[in-house]
Amino acid sequence: MGQMVGKAKWDPRARIFMNLPPGAINALWESFNDVADGFGISLCEMQLICQELTTELEISRSALNKHVQTLFNQIDSDENALVDGIEFLSTLAMASGMSFRDKLEFAFTCFDFDGAGQLSVDEITLAFRCTLMGLSKLTGETCPCEDEVELVAMRAFSFAKIDPNKNSPSIKSSVQEAKLRTLDLVAFCLFDPVAVSWLEFFDDPDPMSSHSGELERGIDGKFSDDTKLPILLESLDYTPTLQDIDYFQDGCYPSPTTAAFAALEGSPELAAHLTGVSAKFQNPHGDPEPWVKSVASLTPTALANATANQSFPDASLTLEWVHGYRGEDCRGNVRYTLTGEIVYPVAKLGIIYSPLEHRQRYMTCHTNEIVSLGVAPDGDTVATGEAGARPNLICWDVTSCKPLSIIAGLHAIAITQIAFSQSGERLASIGGDVGRTLVIYNWRVGLRMFSARSNILGSILGMSFVDDGPDSIAACGIGEPFACFWRREGVNIIRRRAAFGRRARRQPTLCLARCGDVVLSGQASGHLYVWHGRNCVQAFQAHRGSLNAVYVGKYGVLTGGKDGKVRQWSHTLNPGASFDLSELGMHPTIRSVCLSNDGTRLLVGTGGNEIYELSAVDGSDALGGPVTTSHFGRAMCNVACHPLKPEFASCGGDCTVRTWDIVTKCPVRTAKLAAPVGCVAYHPNGDLLASGFGCPSTANEVGMPQSKIGGFCVLNDSDLSVAFEAKDSTLPLVASQFSPDGEILAFASEDSSVYLYACGEEYESIGQCRRHSSPVRYIDFSSDSRWLRSCCDGGHLHFFNANSAQYQSNLSALKDIRWASETCLYGYGVAGSYIAAKQDGAILTACARAQGDNGEGPETGGGFILVGDSYGRIRLTRFPSRHDAAFLEWRGHAGSVVAMSLDSDETHLLTGGRDDRCVMQWALGEDERGLEDADDRDEDEVEDYAPELRDCSDFQRHEDVETAVDLINERPLAAELRMCNEVEQTLELAENAESNSLIPPYSHDPWFLGISMPPSQQSELHMGAAPTDAVILSRIFGYSCEASRNNAKYTACGAVVYPAGATVVRVDVGSGGQSFGTFHAGSEICALAISKDRLMLATSDISAEPKIALWVALNVAEGPSRVIRGPHLNAITLLAFDDDKGKTLVSLGADDRHMVAVHDVTSGYLLFMSSTTCRKPFDVAFGNFGSEIVIVGIKYVLFFYIYCQPCRHETCFCIFWKDWSTRYDSKLPQLRISS
């Protein structure tokens, strides 16, 4: 009796009796005891016994009798008009929906004839034999012979005898009288591989399968007469209608390109390489883009010979608010925390919102868009999963918003579902790969406990732990088999398909939640199914249209559906209040529901990307407006700031124009227009708002009002009513601008033209700017309103006369023109950022310019530029930008940053995400790195590292000390110069110089004038003669480590090198001998580093002009092999070699801005230099094989990415923390980097 592989194929005539629930099997057993007089039962008796199934199968008695007769004939293989009743019952039990343990206990109880709870060898053999024989009759398999079955029974006794967990022997002394307890026999069957394989082979029968894999039907689609099965069995399936379906977008997450994944995951060199390969394939000749030639003629006169300022801009961004929520393609992702705050995802951020304080906090550790969210039962821990090639699963603390555990590498494409166990110790996740892999973790230690393919076709939309055990899980989706259950059976976790039975229709299952001992699921038809085990035991209509969300709380059950209603239920599923949200928001289909901890409030997330908090008593809006809202549908298209008020407007593919208040961070007005809105712009006086119809890719979309696409309307800002409407283009309008004087309105169209209108003449057409051959995306007016520039998808930058729409070909005449805005991506001031973005495969998608404090423009090199790209990054650099200039970077959006706009006083930046459809409000202010933060240092922190806080002016020495050190260091040089230069001097001058050099500098001091030499020694005095004795340094006791760290190293030969004062000490570990490097004499050594191969040593000192000495680590006594002077001041406090054979050295100075410099070790050349921050740095290291530099200090981490030549800076908006066992506290100084 070997192991079985695969699944049994059941006879379709018996399928109605498959997957019966445990209650039905127990009812058959009770009926058998009441009806049967013996073990053999007739057809009439079998029909009487099966009458208990009429309610379960929802079938008439006459129809059931036909099925029973068919089943009787199949089991009665010897045709004696009698069947074994125990065989019949045990066979149905093995094909039922019970767990393995319940099946075995039931079958063995049937053969426990004396009711003692023990079975003999013969009884066990009989139980195995009869059950397998009945199963074989219904599947066509060959039943094992009696000898094989008896061997298995004997193994069961052996298993019980050696079981160490038994307190008393289970086998009696006589083999003939030996009996085995039923519990021990069940344990054996769950452990033995052969028994488990047979259990799995006959378990979980597919009710829609037959021997051929399909039901046998006639030409008309009905069952053939020989099957004798009623046609009503076809009602098992339910096909959702378009009105029911609300899950088309769920689980469809496009995978990023390899270059995008590399750039977002911190591998810019790989992204740059992949981009270079792709660019070479697309442009093998390396032809420059058309705009490059145009920009070459646009260099302002004032900057023609000026040196570009490549330092960091004196500005910084701080995320202040996020308008939006991901509800369109995700569900069950809005929850209350333990303290009553609200947690939800948007873009790459996990947001904690406090309704009482009207304040948001952010978890910023994800590198890709968040697509799933779960909250632990304690309400203090949140888990979020992202999309991506290798998505991360992050568990984080609600209070601190810091990660507690980061798990990666087990899923692909996306982590679509997350669920915590009842204890909160286990966490389950399902991926978006083809097999929909299920993984269970002990998340606190990052340990994988179980993983398997779920094999649910289509997207998985719900998951929940269903029992008190940590390994019982249910998952559901929109494809076959619609729902699956996992449960531990012995040492294995077994997957079973959901048994819908006759009470329910087989259909897409959209959500799951555990409610006591049962599981609730929402269906595409709007039904609420109740599951016991894996059997559906109850079904009733709850909503019209799909039931999208179900939540079980302390005070009851909530459901929400496509009909826009939220219904309350008791835990026993008695219906309660029903609230209609169809009047709230633009698209009120319910996607998530939650009940507060005190049961007084409801939290609802909608498909319109809105969240509402309602009263649980009457369903009223508890906050008087949405918790958050944003655009939905195709995409967000544009953002524009009001020129006079702290407000901004946005538009998108949902056919709406919305205005928002920057101060209160709340929506103000919303207008629903007749078509998608692709652009929006304010009039300079702020009373009008121009909007163009048709966002990108909607020109030929089915269902779009083609009569409106390409038109525009002018709205009154006060109420967003339409003041004027017209149409000249047939393709979408994607950009709009008013001239600074308010006389001209311009629209850019996908028909490759720019349309100009005269505002003072009721928007009469001025003309069309025709020069482009591709859709025009961006336009700008000059400050004097005379000129207009535009750029298109083809890479062209063109200029036009704004008053006549005439093309301007003389670019040199426009080089000193000042522009009112900076949205064109190919302008002189943005060209550097465009090139920099393309280096790792990104595409620049939006930009905005800030004038700065002095209001200067590109013609004088003032202000700074903000750009957004297709990777969702926001970069800040000086204006005009250069491709190798230093920049600051923030991340928050998922996908392209489609629009950027600065408010009138340039204190806030508004950015819109095309794909995440959210608006982020950033506070724009002084660069925080330039702020003194001594007050931020807590006293207990300072005590730990007080000696290391010496910085900047603390290293400055008195002028006399510097002079004395300079004299000492210059004496050898002066002697050499005298030998070379004094040959031609006269002897008299030489003697005067020598006599003058013999006069001590203290000859006029009072103490020197008041002393006299004894007469006996006057004859022995030889002024200027060197002493005949010498002092040789033989040993140094001490080590300088109080003010520096990580400065004792092993060399390649095993010797130890370290600093002691101004000396480099090398100790031979074997002999204990010391050798010394005294180059830094007079200047304390404050940094020491050694190359990866431990052959090259670098040291630096404290002085007004500190030096770097490069030594051969094997012999420091010979002095440094090279000395690098400059560019630092006061001291060089940190040094580090790269990881690639020590070819590059990075150093940090103790000047006010802590300059970072990168040197070539071989030549000593300075490769790169930039300021960092006013805050004290504690460590520096190369990372990622020398492609990046990381600097850590008091409350900051700086990243410098090294490309081909230049070095770039990134201040990460996302903190990448990889320590799973320790919480990350950003208030603690970062003291060490492990490279």
Side-chain angles (χ1 to χ4, degrees), residues 261-269 367 891 1184 1187-1188 1201 1216:
F261 173 74
L264 295 173
E265 292 291 334
S267 300
E269 70 289 344
T367 57
R891 300 181 184 181
N1184 204 8
S1187 65
E1188 66 183 18
Y1201 289 151
F1216 301 95

Side-chain angles (χ1 to χ4, degrees), residues 157-216:
F157 280 84
S158 301
F159 172 82
K161 184 176 182 180
I162 63 174
D163 190 351
N165 296 322
K166 300 293 183 293
N167 297 323
S168 60
S170 301
I171 304 177
K172 297 183 179 180
S173 57
S174 174
V175 176
Q176 291 77 12
E177 298 178 358
K179 287 192 175 183
L180 186 65
R181 293 188 307 174
T182 302
L183 295 179
D184 295 334
L185 183 55
V186 170
F188 162 76
C189 292
L190 295 177
F191 177 82
D192 184 71
V194 174
V196 171
S197 71
W198 282 84
L199 285 169
E200 292 181 355
F201 182 74
F202 292 110
D203 184 52
D204 190 20
D206 185 354
M208 300 303 292
S209 297
S210 66
H211 291 285
S212 63
E214 297 180 357
L215 291 177
E216 300 174 11

Side-chain angles (χ1 to χ4, degrees), residues 181-263:
R181 293 188 307 174
T182 302
L183 295 179
D184 295 334
L185 183 55
V186 170
F188 162 76
C189 292
L190 295 177
F191 177 82
D192 184 71
V194 174
V196 171
S197 71
W198 282 84
L199 285 169
E200 292 181 355
F201 182 74
F202 292 110
D203 184 52
D204 190 20
D206 185 354
M208 300 303 292
S209 297
S210 66
H211 291 285
S212 63
E214 297 180 357
L215 291 177
E216 300 174 11
R217 305 168 186 260
I219 299 177
D220 58 353
K222 301 180 181 179
F223 291 100
S224 56
D225 294 337
D226 57 343
T227 61
K228 300 180 180 179
L229 293 177
I231 300 175
L232 59 88
L233 289 179
E234 292 302 300
S235 62
L236 285 170
D237 283 345
Y238 172 80
T239 302
T241 64
L242 290 177
Q243 181 180 359
D244 298 334
I245 295 176
D246 191 28
Y247 47 80
F248 276 136
Q249 301 182 65
D250 293 40
C252 300
Y253 310 117
S255 299
T257 63
T258 306
F261 173 74

